[in-house]
Amino acid sequence: MARMKFLCDADRCIECNACVTACKNEHDVPWGINRRRVVTINDGKPGERSVSMACMHCTDAPCAAVCPVDCFYTTADAVVLHSKDLCIGCGYCFYACPFGAPQYPRVGNFGSRGKMDKCTFCAAGPEGDSTEIEYAKYGANRLAEGKLPLCAEMCSTKSLLAGDGEIIAAIYKERVTQRGYGSGAWGWQTAYRETIDV
């Protein structure tokens, strides 16, 4: 079975926020919650990069590891979802996630913020596929319809890729090779701009 993954190519992202808007519109996400957001590093300086961020549907998800009620689960497609019926809104997942994906739906005192909300990779939740109850809690279930997440489909530069992890990796590898980076596109030297004498 395919392992569904996201990948954002920082060399292509133009910070248009089409992915954010598409997600909010497709799932009727309330004002103040962004299941996906665009983060810009070195804004306005040479080397500026923008990256579209959301739940990365980790293999060993830290949000699931800290949840006291085990409301997180992984589907056969390796999409990490959660049950809002089981969630108690404690916020442990919010603090454990390195991507800041789980969010409270409201601002307020602890206990009044509601149950956590996060990116579902357009796979909705544990309710029956494409039911009104599922849509009200989690949004559209595009995966059940054989579609990919709308955020990736709406990306005008195809910077945001979504789908089978192996296919996504092959696409990115081809892009990196065409850019002439070779194997130096990632790793210690690229991250820290240092040369290592071997």
Side-chain angles (χ1 to χ4, degrees), residues 124-141:
E127 280 77 12
D129 288 346
S130 303
T131 62
E132 287 183 30
I133 295 169
E134 181 186 54
Y135 184 82
K137 288 183 185 177
Y138 307 100
N141 190 340

PDB file of all heavy atoms in Angstrom, residues 124-141:
ATOM      1  N   ALA A 124     -10.383  13.061   5.893  1.00  0.00           N
ATOM      2  CA  ALA A 124     -11.428  13.263   6.892  1.00  0.00           C
ATOM      3  C   ALA A 124     -11.148  12.514   8.186  1.00  0.00           C
ATOM      4  O   ALA A 124     -10.083  12.657   8.747  1.00  0.00           O
ATOM      5  CB  ALA A 124     -12.791  12.939   6.309  1.00  0.00           C
ATOM      6  N   GLY A 125     -12.088  11.705   8.670  1.00  0.00           N
ATOM      7  CA  GLY A 125     -11.928  11.071   9.980  1.00  0.00           C
ATOM      8  C   GLY A 125     -12.510   9.676  10.025  1.00  0.00           C
ATOM      9  O   GLY A 125     -12.754   9.058   8.996  1.00  0.00           O
ATOM     10  N   PRO A 126     -12.767   9.188  11.260  1.00  0.00           N
ATOM     11  CA  PRO A 126     -13.192   7.790  11.410  1.00  0.00           C
ATOM     12  C   PRO A 126     -14.640   7.500  11.019  1.00  0.00           C
ATOM     13  O   PRO A 126     -15.016   6.342  10.898  1.00  0.00           O
ATOM     14  CB  PRO A 126     -12.968   7.521  12.902  1.00  0.00           C
ATOM     15  CG  PRO A 126     -13.069   8.848  13.556  1.00  0.00           C
ATOM     16  CD  PRO A 126     -12.552   9.835  12.546  1.00  0.00           C
ATOM     17  N   GLU A 127     -15.451   8.537  10.823  1.00  0.00           N
ATOM     18  CA  GLU A 127     -16.842   8.305  10.428  1.00  0.00           C
ATOM     19  C   GLU A 127     -16.905   7.727   9.019  1.00  0.00           C
ATOM     20  O   GLU A 127     -15.917   7.668   8.318  1.00  0.00           O
ATOM     21  CB  GLU A 127     -17.639   9.615  10.488  1.00  0.00           C
ATOM     22  CG  GLU A 127     -18.083  10.013  11.877  1.00  0.00           C
ATOM     23  CD  GLU A 127     -16.972  10.616  12.711  1.00  0.00           C
ATOM     24  OE1 GLU A 127     -15.910  10.933  12.147  1.00  0.00           O
ATOM     25  OE2 GLU A 127     -17.156  10.745  13.928  1.00  0.00           O
ATOM     26  N   GLY A 128     -18.081   7.329   8.607  1.00  0.00           N
ATOM     27  CA  GLY A 128     -18.270   6.779   7.262  1.00  0.00           C
ATOM     28  C   GLY A 128     -17.855   7.775   6.196  1.00  0.00           C
ATOM     29  O   GLY A 128     -18.023   8.982   6.369  1.00  0.00           O
ATOM     30  N   ASP A 129     -17.315   7.276   5.096  1.00  0.00           N
ATOM     31  CA  ASP A 129     -16.814   8.134   4.021  1.00  0.00           C
ATOM     32  C   ASP A 129     -17.896   9.035   3.449  1.00  0.00           C
ATOM     33  O   ASP A 129     -18.995   8.580   3.117  1.00  0.00           O
ATOM     34  CB  ASP A 129     -16.218   7.290   2.891  1.00  0.00           C
ATOM     35  CG  ASP A 129     -14.894   6.666   3.284  1.00  0.00           C
ATOM     36  OD1 ASP A 129     -14.315   7.089   4.297  1.00  0.00           O
ATOM     37  OD2 ASP A 129     -14.439   5.756   2.573  1.00  0.00           O
ATOM     38  N   SER A 130     -17.561  10.321   3.347  1.00  0.00           N
ATOM     39  CA  SER A 130     -18.384  11.348   2.701  1.00  0.00           C
ATOM     40  C   SER A 130     -19.768  11.511   3.319  1.00  0.00           C
ATOM     41  O   SER A 130     -20.727  11.829   2.622  1.00  0.00           O
ATOM     42  CB  SER A 130     -18.492  11.060   1.202  1.00  0.00           C
ATOM     43  OG  SER A 130     -17.205  11.003   0.631  1.00  0.00           O
ATOM     44  N   THR A 131     -19.890  11.328   4.625  1.00  0.00           N
ATOM     45  CA  THR A 131     -21.164  11.577   5.310  1.00  0.00           C
ATOM     46  C   THR A 131     -21.188  13.020   5.803  1.00  0.00           C
ATOM     47  O   THR A 131     -20.144  13.669   5.908  1.00  0.00           O
ATOM     48  CB  THR A 131     -21.352  10.628   6.512  1.00  0.00           C
ATOM     49  OG1 THR A 131     -20.308  10.862   7.457  1.00  0.00           O
ATOM     50  CG2 THR A 131     -21.354   9.171   6.074  1.00  0.00           C
ATOM     51  N   GLU A 132     -22.374  13.520   6.116  1.00  0.00           N
ATOM     52  CA  GLU A 132     -22.503  14.885   6.620  1.00  0.00           C
ATOM     53  C   GLU A 132     -21.808  15.043   7.969  1.00  0.00           C
ATOM     54  O   GLU A 132     -21.210  16.084   8.249  1.00  0.00           O
ATOM     55  CB  GLU A 132     -23.979  15.272   6.738  1.00  0.00           C
ATOM     56  CG  GLU A 132     -24.642  15.525   5.406  1.00  0.00           C
ATOM     57  CD  GLU A 132     -26.086  15.989   5.551  1.00  0.00           C
ATOM     58  OE1 GLU A 132     -26.406  16.642   6.569  1.00  0.00           O
ATOM     59  OE2 GLU A 132     -26.876  15.692   4.648  1.00  0.00           O
ATOM     60  N   ILE A 133     -21.878  14.010   8.801  1.00  0.00           N
ATOM     61  CA  ILE A 133     -21.235  14.058  10.115  1.00  0.00           C
ATOM     62  C   ILE A 133     -19.720  14.157   9.947  1.00  0.00           C
ATOM     63  O   ILE A 133     -19.056  14.952  10.621  1.00  0.00           O
ATOM     64  CB  ILE A 133     -21.613  12.812  10.954  1.00  0.00           C
ATOM     65  CG1 ILE A 133     -23.107  12.819  11.250  1.00  0.00           C
ATOM     66  CG2 ILE A 133     -20.799  12.735  12.232  1.00  0.00           C
ATOM     67  CD1 ILE A 133     -23.634  11.533  11.843  1.00  0.00           C
ATOM     68  N   GLU A 134     -19.170  13.355   9.040  1.00  0.00           N
ATOM     69  CA  GLU A 134     -17.732  13.382   8.785  1.00  0.00           C
ATOM     70  C   GLU A 134     -17.314  14.759   8.285  1.00  0.00           C
ATOM     71  O   GLU A 134     -16.321  15.327   8.749  1.00  0.00           O
ATOM     72  CB  GLU A 134     -17.348  12.310   7.767  1.00  0.00           C
ATOM     73  CG  GLU A 134     -15.860  12.268   7.469  1.00  0.00           C
ATOM     74  CD  GLU A 134     -15.507  11.305   6.351  1.00  0.00           C
ATOM     75  OE1 GLU A 134     -16.085  11.427   5.258  1.00  0.00           O
ATOM     76  OE2 GLU A 134     -14.648  10.443   6.584  1.00  0.00           O
ATOM     77  N   TYR A 135     -18.080  15.327   7.354  1.00  0.00           N
ATOM     78  CA  TYR A 135     -17.735  16.634   6.800  1.00  0.00           C
ATOM     79  C   TYR A 135     -17.788  17.722   7.867  1.00  0.00           C
ATOM     80  O   TYR A 135     -16.920  18.587   7.931  1.00  0.00           O
ATOM     81  CB  TYR A 135     -18.654  16.992   5.630  1.00  0.00           C
ATOM     82  CG  TYR A 135     -18.245  18.298   4.976  1.00  0.00           C
ATOM     83  CD1 TYR A 135     -17.215  18.322   4.046  1.00  0.00           C
ATOM     84  CD2 TYR A 135     -18.866  19.492   5.313  1.00  0.00           C
ATOM     85  CE1 TYR A 135     -16.814  19.516   3.455  1.00  0.00           C
ATOM     86  CE2 TYR A 135     -18.472  20.686   4.734  1.00  0.00           C
ATOM     87  CZ  TYR A 135     -17.448  20.694   3.811  1.00  0.00           C
ATOM     88  OH  TYR A 135     -17.047  21.876   3.244  1.00  0.00           O
ATOM     89  N   ALA A 136     -18.801  17.671   8.737  1.00  0.00           N
ATOM     90  CA  ALA A 136     -18.948  18.683   9.783  1.00  0.00           C
ATOM     91  C   ALA A 136     -17.768  18.664  10.751  1.00  0.00           C
ATOM     92  O   ALA A 136     -17.310  19.715  11.204  1.00  0.00           O
ATOM     93  CB  ALA A 136     -20.252  18.464  10.535  1.00  0.00           C
ATOM     94  N   LYS A 137     -17.242  17.486  11.049  1.00  0.00           N
ATOM     95  CA  LYS A 137     -16.133  17.369  12.007  1.00  0.00           C
ATOM     96  C   LYS A 137     -14.767  17.571  11.378  1.00  0.00           C
ATOM     97  O   LYS A 137     -13.889  18.181  11.975  1.00  0.00           O
ATOM     98  CB  LYS A 137     -16.155  15.993  12.672  1.00  0.00           C
ATOM     99  CG  LYS A 137     -17.264  15.791  13.669  1.00  0.00           C
ATOM    100  CD  LYS A 137     -17.113  14.421  14.304  1.00  0.00           C
ATOM    101  CE  LYS A 137     -18.264  14.106  15.211  1.00  0.00           C
ATOM    102  NZ  LYS A 137     -18.154  12.762  15.768  1.00  0.00           N
ATOM    103  N   TYR A 138     -14.552  17.018  10.173  1.00  0.00           N
ATOM    104  CA  TYR A 138     -13.203  16.944   9.607  1.00  0.00           C
ATOM    105  C   TYR A 138     -13.050  17.582   8.228  1.00  0.00           C
ATOM    106  O   TYR A 138     -11.936  17.774   7.769  1.00  0.00           O
ATOM    107  CB  TYR A 138     -12.764  15.476   9.503  1.00  0.00           C
ATOM    108  CG  TYR A 138     -12.887  14.733  10.798  1.00  0.00           C
ATOM    109  CD1 TYR A 138     -13.967  13.907  11.055  1.00  0.00           C
ATOM    110  CD2 TYR A 138     -11.912  14.869  11.776  1.00  0.00           C
ATOM    111  CE1 TYR A 138     -14.086  13.233  12.246  1.00  0.00           C
ATOM    112  CE2 TYR A 138     -12.009  14.188  12.976  1.00  0.00           C
ATOM    113  CZ  TYR A 138     -13.105  13.370  13.209  1.00  0.00           C
ATOM    114  OH  TYR A 138     -13.207  12.709  14.399  1.00  0.00           O
ATOM    115  N   GLY A 139     -14.133  17.841   7.540  1.00  0.00           N
ATOM    116  CA  GLY A 139     -14.045  18.394   6.192  1.00  0.00           C
ATOM    117  C   GLY A 139     -14.202  17.315   5.137  1.00  0.00           C
ATOM    118  O   GLY A 139     -14.585  16.188   5.414  1.00  0.00           O
ATOM    119  N   ALA A 140     -13.864  17.673   3.906  1.00  0.00           N
ATOM    120  CA  ALA A 140     -14.066  16.782   2.763  1.00  0.00           C
ATOM    121  C   ALA A 140     -13.133  15.572   2.807  1.00  0.00           C
ATOM    122  O   ALA A 140     -12.011  15.664   3.278  1.00  0.00           O
ATOM    123  CB  ALA A 140     -13.838  17.553   1.462  1.00  0.00           C
ATOM    124  N   ASN A 141     -13.634  14.454   2.280  1.00  0.00           N
ATOM    125  CA  ASN A 141     -12.831  13.231   2.194  1.00  0.00           C
ATOM    126  C   ASN A 141     -12.479  13.001   0.726  1.00  0.00           C
ATOM    127  O   ASN A 141     -13.097  12.220   0.026  1.00  0.00           O
ATOM    128  CB  ASN A 141     -13.598  12.043   2.763  1.00  0.00           C
ATOM    129  CG  ASN A 141     -12.731  10.809   2.910  1.00  0.00           C
ATOM    130  OD1 ASN A 141     -11.686  10.697   2.275  1.00  0.00           O
ATOM    131  ND2 ASN A 141     -13.163   9.895   3.742  1.00  0.00           N
TER     132      ASN A 141
END
